[in-house]
Amino acid sequence: MKKKAIIIIGVLILFSTITFSGYSYIKVKQWDSLILPGVKIENEDLTGKTKKEAQTILNDKYSSKVLKKKITVVTDEKKYILDYKTLGAKYKVDEALQKALSYGNNMNMFEKYKAIEHPRGKQIKLTFEYNDKTVDKILKEIAKDTDKKEKNATITKVSGGEFVVTNDVIGRKLEVDKLKTNVKSKIDGFTDEDVAYIQAPVKEIKPKISKASLKTINTRISSYTTSFGSSPEGRATNIALATGSINGKLLMPGDVFSFNGVVGERKASRGYKAASIIIGDKLEQGLGGGICQVSSTLYNAMLSTSIVSVERIHHTISSGYIPKGQDATVDYGNLDYKFKNTFKYPIYIEGLLSNGNIYFNIYSSSTLTNRTYKIVNEVSEPTEPKTETIQDPTMYEGQNKIVKTGYAGFKVKVIRKTYENGNLVNTEIINKDTFRVINGVMKVGTKKA
């Protein structure tokens, strides 16, 4: 009897299992082409929906809506419409649907049945994308329309000693990176706005040279003149070219003037000619001879201001056209004359030639004229040169020839005295130079007549 009861129970269990399995199979089979219960894409519950039904729901709520959205970028001059269709903006609906439909594929029949009868829920995010390169292209077009190059004011000295100053122009620059961040924040993700407005960030760019700053140039604060009237044609040509390069040069506060930088390389192709130049301890012919008279004249014009040289070197031989110790030699690529505008006002340099003279006039604010300057040079330890005599049997007795000119040696100290409203307020040593003695060489003839 006991054995028979066990058999009956076993049969019942087997029958129940077969019945449940069959029922489960039928139940699960009904969901083969449907999205399982509890599956959501974003906030849409797609339980029991076919792929087509779910696709229709998602397209209506997301895909079709997103194509109607627009972003309006506004500048001071224009409006730009960025519609989502142009941007290639879309939700990856098919990708999300594939995840929804494949949910449960890795479950066995009983696990899937459990997921149907007792859903735990499955949340799937919609991926949003757009063409980033299209955004860049549109922003580039906006920048092209918006950007405006700043323009410096200019100053020109005209006849009568008056200055003509042109207007400066304030530039504009679209802050592309900032605008791109703003645009992306509007199109990245879900938004309920059909039209989003963005004010384009535009930065003003002030020119370095303003009309107001140039208007402070209203008076001559210094000048200096040297003569080159006896110079040969080549030397005079070089002086004219270099002076012309400097004429009209403007230096804003903090700017550094470089003679070589402004005048440029002295080349035959630029019109420079051969003339006497100091090389070492003697005079030789070379391109650009006479240029140092221009640099030295300008140097002396600047000495009668409070400007201090950044770079200045004296010749090996004292020049006759300038007081001792007040010269400034230059050699392109090697030696330069430089000074920095330490005023809070701009400086305008005028370089002129007239009747064999070089004129440099320095203009700036009239507020600087309450001070005047006196330059004094103190020469000490003069040493006269010796002359070495070389007998030359190819020359007749009584004949002689200077092979090398001798020059006296000395030390010189240049002092600048500053007067304010006529009273001495400062005395400073500008430079201390040493010119070594250069002995001469002369040939004398020994050949009998």
Side-chain angles (χ1 to χ4, degrees):
M1 187 69 182
K2 186 176 180 181
K3 186 176 180 182
K4 186 177 180 180
I6 293 173
I7 292 171
I8 292 171
I9 292 171
V11 170
L12 290 173
I13 291 173
L14 178 60
F15 177 77
S16 297
T17 301
I18 292 171
T19 302
F20 178 72
S21 296
Y23 174 77
S24 299
Y25 174 79
I26 294 170
K27 187 74 172 178
V28 169
K29 192 68 176 174
Q30 291 173 346
W31 289 85
D32 272 357
S33 58
L34 304 177
I35 297 173
L36 294 185
V39 176
K40 290 182 179 182
I41 294 180
E42 291 301 330
N43 295 321
E44 294 301 313
D45 189 344
L46 300 177
T47 299
K49 298 292 188 291
T50 64
K51 180 180 180 180
K52 188 175 181 180
E53 290 171 337
Q55 197 169 44
T56 299
I57 292 169
L58 295 176
N59 283 338
D60 287 345
K61 185 162 186 179
Y62 297 105
S63 295
S64 59
K65 275 190 174 183
V66 79
L67 294 178
K68 297 177 183 178
K69 294 180 183 292
K70 296 177 182 178
I71 295 174
T72 301
V73 177
V74 183
T75 67
D76 290 342
E77 293 83 18
K78 197 172 177 182
K79 289 183 179 180
Y80 301 85
I81 307 298
L82 286 69
D83 64 83
Y84 279 38
K85 187 175 182 179
T86 302
L87 296 175
K90 63 180 181 180
Y91 294 106
K92 301 175 81 171
V93 170
D94 289 343
E95 181 184 271
L97 279 176
Q98 186 59 40
K99 291 180 181 178
L101 288 164
S102 63
Y103 176 66
N105 286 354
N106 60 344
M107 301 178 185
N108 61 40
M109 184 181 68
F110 296 107
E111 290 173 333
K112 200 168 184 179
Y113 175 81
K114 185 178 179 181
I116 293 168
E117 291 297 319
H118 307 286
R120 290 177 295 176
K122 172 69 175 177
Q123 186 70 41
I124 298 171
K125 299 291 291 182
L126 262 178
T127 302
F128 179 79
E129 65 178 7
Y130 58 91
N131 192 329
D132 199 59
K133 290 184 178 180
T134 301
V135 176
D136 290 337
K137 183 180 178 182
I138 294 171
L139 297 188
K140 188 176 180 180
E141 291 174 1
I142 298 174
K144 186 179 178 181
D145 293 341
T146 305
D147 290 357
K148 181 180 179 182
K149 181 71 176 174
E150 74 278 11
K151 187 177 180 181
N152 287 326
T154 63
I155 184 169
T156 307
K157 191 168 182 290
V158 296
S159 58
E162 296 295 321
F163 286 101
V164 174
V165 179
T166 64
N167 292 322
D168 58 278
V169 176
I170 295 176
R172 297 194 306 267
K173 184 73 174 176
L174 179 70
E175 296 182 82
V176 177
D177 290 341
K178 188 181 289 187
L179 178 57
K180 185 174 181 179
T181 300
N182 290 345
V183 169
K184 290 179 71 172
S185 71
K186 295 294 183 182
I187 61 176
D188 190 14
F190 298 91
T191 174
D192 293 330
E193 297 174 301
D194 286 336
V195 180
Y197 289 89
I198 298 175
Q199 182 67 44
V202 179
K203 181 170 62 176
E204 280 193 351
I205 304 175
K206 292 184 178 180
K208 179 186 176 185
I209 304 172
S210 67
K211 182 178 182 178
S213 65
L214 295 188
K215 280 292 187 179
T216 63
I217 301 175
N218 53 23
T219 192
R220 185 174 65 182
I221 62 171
S222 176
S223 63
Y224 201 83
T225 305
T226 62
S227 174
F228 67 97
S230 60
S231 296
E233 181 186 354
R235 190 174 190 276
T237 297
N238 298 336
I239 287 173
L241 286 172
T243 304
S245 297
I246 299 170
N247 182 44
K249 179 65 180 176
L250 178 71
L251 294 179
M252 298 303 290
D255 284 354
V256 174
F257 175 92
S258 162
F259 186 91
N260 287 334
V262 173
V263 174
E265 189 173 357
R266 280 67 91 179
K267 300 189 295 184
S269 61
R270 299 183 65 222
Y272 284 95
K273 300 182 181 297
S276 295
I277 56 175
I278 300 172
I279 299 179
D281 58 3
K282 58 184 178 179
L283 290 173
E284 295 184 9
Q285 291 290 302
L287 272 177
I291 293 296
C292 291
Q293 183 168 351
V294 179
S295 59
S296 295
T297 306
L298 178 59
Y299 172 59
N300 278 267
M302 299 311 302
L303 280 179
S304 291
T305 70
S306 62
I307 296 293
V308 177
S309 299
V310 173
E311 182 178 336
R312 173 262 167 188
I313 300 170
H314 67 86
H315 291 83
T316 53
I317 300 172
S318 181
S319 303
Y321 53 76
I322 213 86
K324 288 180 171 59
Q326 293 177 219
D327 59 326
T329 183
V330 289
D331 178 24
Y332 191 84
N334 297 304
L335 306 175
D336 202 358
Y337 166 50
K338 296 179 180 179
F339 62 87
K340 183 178 182 179
N341 179 9
T342 52
F343 298 144
K344 61 180 180 179
Y345 307 104
I347 291 174
Y348 180 91
I349 303 173
E350 180 184 42
L352 302 172
L353 301 179
S354 179
N355 298 322
N357 295 312
I358 308 172
Y359 297 87
F360 274 112
N361 299 312
I362 312 301
Y363 293 87
S364 192
S365 170
S366 58
T367 59
L368 300 172
T369 57
N370 67 323
R371 288 195 167 194
T372 57
Y373 304 87
K374 182 180 180 181
I375 307 302
V376 179
N377 64 341
E378 298 179 354
V379 180
S380 62
E381 301 180 30
T383 306
E384 291 301 316
K386 296 176 181 179
T387 301
E388 179 186 358
T389 302
I390 300 175
Q391 293 184 343
D392 189 342
T394 65
M395 296 171 59
Y396 289 106
E397 289 180 337
Q399 292 181 330
N400 58 65
K401 181 181 179 181
I402 296 176
V403 177
K404 181 181 178 183
T405 303
Y407 296 92
F410 57 89
K411 289 185 177 181
V412 60
K413 180 167 60 177
V414 177
I415 299 167
R416 176 161 58 195
K417 295 185 177 183
T418 304
Y419 297 84
E420 188 169 328
N421 300 320
N423 299 313
L424 180 65
V425 294
N426 189 41
T427 299
E428 59 183 324
I429 297 173
I430 298 300
N431 55 266
K432 294 179 179 180
D433 295 339
T434 298
F435 291 81
R436 65 181 183 85
V437 65
I438 298 173
N439 293 319
V441 178
M442 184 173 65
K443 286 183 179 181
V444 296
T446 59
K447 186 179 180 181
K448 300 293 183 180

